[in-house]
Amino acid sequence: MRRALLASMLLLLWAESMAAAPLALEIRGHRVAQPVFSVFMQPGESMALGAGAGVVAEASPVDVAAAESGVILTAPQAHGLYPLTLRKGEDETLLNVWVSIPREQQDGEFLNGYRIGEYPPPRKNRPNYQPPEGFFEVTADNVDTRLTPHFTLRQFLCKQEADFPKYLVIQEGLLVVLEGLLVDVRAAGFDVDTFGVISGYRTPYYNRRIGNVPYSRHVYGDGFDFFIDEDRDGRMDDIDGDGMRNQSDILRFFDIVEAFMERPENRRLIGGIGKYNKTSRHGGFIHVDTRGYQARW
């Protein structure tokens, strides 16, 4: 009953936000204009949100204070999901504020029974390779929450088998990338409302179990492996129209992703792009991340 009620409330808030024009926001240096978006905060953390003057917030456990350039959000001390509706004139955005459980509460490799494993030590001169400060709790009640208009929390969840609650890390920049790429993919003629997903977040435990490198961007919450799946069959589509699903489709998708990432206005999204060809296990996919320096493979 509680799960159905929460899902209905979030769906209503999302539907209402879709009916209005979204606010133009600056979130951690990223320009965002979405009817629904998500931010990921530590308990008690304050975050400046660029929005200009005149922003009004509905009552919420998230403290919202006016600032010269917008508002300052202060997260509650308790972990969880806190939907926050922001308005400015007739513009409106539903901001899902996710508050983490601090990493210090991890007991060995486990957090509340969920195996996270051990993060590798920070990399010298690579500020984006610090272990996360906390983890965001995923429950049966919130797993289908929309993080953005076209992506849900479930799509980012680690694939290791475990009961709820589960935990993950997500960075706002990855959401900006995926929503922006979806616009370009649609402009290229592909009628998709989201991407097919190979892998989002991975715990260090699961990442090691599948034989990946310790410093994979997936463990830091900004790595994503995905594909165009207009026919929803779980495989990369024939996007070049030659009647076959092969390497040329991956190359075509790679070109779309690279063109997006290399635009001057996306310079804060600099990171890695990789292409993976079809195998017996998958139909090929593209990897993207925002590691802070350019990498191509």
Side-chain angles (χ1 to χ4, degrees):
M1 182 67 178
R2 180 171 174 268
R3 183 190 311 179
L5 180 60
L6 177 61
S8 297
M9 290 175 61
L10 289 172
L11 182 60
L12 179 60
L13 287 170
W14 174 73
E16 290 177 349
S17 68
M18 290 292 284
L23 272 69
L25 303 173
E26 184 170 308
I27 299 173
R28 300 197 195 276
H30 302 294
R31 294 186 176 182
V32 175
Q34 300 288 351
V36 58
F37 199 73
S38 296
V39 294
F40 304 94
M41 303 179 69
Q42 306 310 311
E45 177 188 356
S46 291
M47 173 194 295
L49 207 66
V55 173
V56 177
E58 287 190 353
S60 168
V62 179
D63 182 72
V64 182
E68 184 176 348
S69 60
V71 295
I72 296 175
L73 309 182
T74 300
Q77 291 294 333
H79 74 273
L81 166 60
Y82 299 91
L84 174 66
T85 298
L86 299 174
R87 294 190 178 93
K88 183 177 180 180
E90 295 183 356
D91 299 342
E92 179 178 307
T93 290
L94 170 61
L95 195 66
N96 284 323
V97 179
W98 299 83
V99 180
S100 75
I101 294 181
R103 187 162 57 92
E104 289 75 16
Q105 294 189 23
Q106 188 173 332
D107 182 11
E109 292 195 359
F110 293 84
L111 179 59
N112 291 341
Y114 184 73
R115 190 170 186 178
I116 290 173
E118 297 181 359
Y119 273 80
R123 296 184 70 178
K124 187 176 180 181
N125 300 322
R126 297 294 188 193
N128 289 347
Y129 285 84
Q130 298 285 333
E133 295 182 37
F135 302 96
F136 301 94
E137 188 171 79
V138 184
T139 68
D141 292 332
N142 70 23
V143 68
D144 291 311
T145 300
R146 288 195 177 273
L147 302 182
T148 68
H150 302 99
F151 296 91
T152 67
L153 185 63
R154 185 184 296 274
Q155 290 173 283
F156 297 82
L157 197 57
C158 183
K159 290 186 175 180
Q160 73 187 55
E161 294 182 2
D163 296 329
F164 290 111
K166 305 178 183 183
Y167 297 89
L168 49 59
V169 178
I170 308 178
Q171 297 189 29
E172 292 91 350
L174 178 60
L175 301 182
V176 175
V177 169
L178 294 176
E179 282 290 343
L181 278 172
L182 197 62
V183 171
D184 281 16
V185 166
R186 286 172 155 180
F190 306 105
D191 186 20
V192 292
D193 58 4
T194 192
F195 292 122
V197 181
I198 296 290
S199 183
Y201 174 69
R202 296 180 196 146
T203 64
Y205 159 73
Y206 181 79
N207 187 65
R208 182 174 64 250
R209 199 179 83 185
I210 65 175
N212 210 335
V213 296
Y215 291 97
S216 165
R217 292 309 305 176
H218 290 272
V219 305
Y220 298 98
D222 71 341
F224 204 70
D225 298 340
F226 60 114
F227 53 95
I228 296 174
D229 189 20
E230 191 172 356
D231 61 8
R232 294 182 176 273
D233 68 347
R235 311 282 283 186
M236 179 70 182
D237 287 349
D238 170 26
I239 68 172
D240 64 358
D242 66 357
M244 297 181 291
R245 304 186 191 197
N246 52 28
Q247 183 180 11
S248 65
D249 301 310
I250 304 300
L251 292 173
R252 171 74 177 112
F253 191 21
F254 182 93
D255 289 342
I256 294 173
V257 175
E258 186 172 47
F260 172 83
M261 294 287 281
E262 293 189 350
R263 288 182 195 159
E265 64 267 29
N266 293 332
R267 59 189 179 276
R268 291 188 64 89
L269 302 174
I270 186 170
I273 310 173
K275 50 185 177 292
Y276 294 84
N277 294 326
K278 178 180 177 182
T279 70
S280 59
R281 294 182 293 109
H282 59 73
F285 60 89
I286 294 295
H287 167 94
V288 69
D289 63 60
T290 58
R291 67 184 64 193
Y293 62 92
Q294 183 171 296
R296 302 288 185 269
W297 64 93

